[in-house]
Amino acid sequence: MTDSADEAALLSADLLLRPLRTANAFEETVQRLLQTIRLGLAAPGARLPPERELATLLEVSRDTLRDALAALADAGYVVVRRGRTGGTFVAEHPPHTPLGAEGRPVADGGPTAEVVDEVLAVRAVLEVGVARRLALRDLAAFDRDRLWQAFEACRDADQAGYRVADSRLHLLLAELLGAPQVVALLADSRMRLNELLDRIPVLAPNIAHSDEQHEAIVSAVLRGKPDEAARAMAEHVAGSEALLRGFFG
């Protein structure tokens, strides 16, 4: 299993901290920071970049950023520590409040059939397309190594860390495509998918099957086989869909 330094090299914690594109600066700042935390790009206990750097990354004012961090602190996702070694840190045990489509906490009434349908449809369109297009790219040796290491980290993860490693692998596939907007779309899709997966038991046979499918996807991408990569991803997505529909009806 890779250590934390290796994981940071595989997928940067700054991946989702990109300039915002809407007029809802506060809401989207909260969304991006929540995604970074909930998808495991910033681990529990990790220190977030300084306010000035975060504001620059997101292209928002310091006031907007402070308001967003204060809201996340009130909700229990981050802890602000003062003093020489202070800063804003991800809470050691951040809450698992259900998140809506915008990445914001919502009241938990359970997913409707329409929500499940939408999450699964968006995922299928995005992830199959990412796998196909990435297999058409001539990846640099460094990126090929990163992708295989991300697969190994997911394969070797224990049950508690599997969801984070799984999310990292899928986000890395999108990042290597070189289209930041696709990364943002996939991050939102992954947030919503994980919210559904967190409601069902972690089943060892399903994890073992997912590992086999991950290997097939990554191998096809690295061998430059777009149809094979798309087919392997479609099978992977269909497996998750069958499991979720089994639990949610």
Side-chain angles (χ1 to χ4, degrees):
M1 182 181 289
T2 59
D3 59 25
S4 57
D6 291 335
E7 289 176 356
L10 293 176
L11 196 63
S12 170
D14 295 343
L15 180 65
L16 303 179
L17 302 179
R18 300 177 181 273
L20 307 184
R21 297 179 181 274
T22 74
N24 302 309
F26 168 77
E27 290 81 3
E28 194 168 340
T29 299
V30 170
Q31 176 190 6
R32 294 287 182 85
L33 293 172
L34 265 176
Q35 287 178 332
T36 298
I37 294 168
R38 293 291 299 273
L39 291 173
L41 300 183
R47 181 177 181 173
L48 296 179
E51 283 187 5
R52 178 175 297 176
E53 183 179 339
L54 266 179
T56 299
L57 287 169
L58 294 167
E59 293 187 1
V60 296
S61 70
R62 297 278 292 275
D63 287 342
T64 295
L65 178 64
R66 288 192 187 108
D67 288 343
L69 290 173
L72 292 177
D74 289 344
Y77 287 93
V78 301
V79 176
V80 178
R81 298 174 188 160
R82 306 298 179 189
R84 196 170 184 180
T85 59
T88 303
F89 297 80
V90 178
E92 291 289 349
H93 302 286
H96 290 283
T97 309
L99 301 177
E102 300 297 318
R104 294 189 289 270
V106 297
D108 186 6
T112 64
E114 290 78 11
V115 166
V116 174
D117 287 345
E118 181 183 13
V119 170
L120 295 175
V122 170
R123 185 196 184 198
V125 170
L126 277 174
E127 301 223 29
V128 173
V130 165
R132 180 184 294 279
R133 290 190 66 85
L134 187 58
L136 292 168
R137 297 201 61 176
D138 184 17
L139 295 176
F142 174 69
D143 288 334
R144 294 171 68 86
D145 288 343
R146 288 171 68 202
L147 185 54
W148 189 256
Q149 289 168 27
F151 156 67
E152 290 182 327
C154 189
R155 179 196 62 195
D156 297 339
D158 59 19
Q159 183 171 307
Y162 188 83
R163 191 82 73 230
V164 167
D166 186 26
S167 295
R168 284 175 176 267
L169 173 58
H170 284 268
L171 283 168
L172 181 58
L173 288 166
E175 191 216 353
L176 293 178
L177 197 59
Q181 191 170 356
V182 174
V183 174
L185 289 169
L186 196 141
D188 181 68
S189 170
R190 191 73 201 185
M191 290 277 288
R192 301 181 72 191
L193 175 69
N194 284 356
E195 167 55 27
L196 297 179
L197 292 172
D198 285 343
R199 297 174 184 268
I200 67 175
V202 176
L203 306 175
N206 172 249
I207 297 302
H209 192 207
S210 290
D211 288 338
E212 294 172 0
Q213 293 171 330
H214 285 153
E215 184 171 10
I217 294 163
V218 171
S219 295
V221 167
L222 293 178
R223 288 185 289 110
K225 302 292 186 180
D227 290 343
E228 188 177 328
R231 184 164 55 250
M233 181 64 83
E235 290 176 359
H236 181 52
V237 169
S240 298
E241 179 171 347
L243 189 65
L244 288 168
R245 292 197 186 281
F247 277 96
F248 296 123

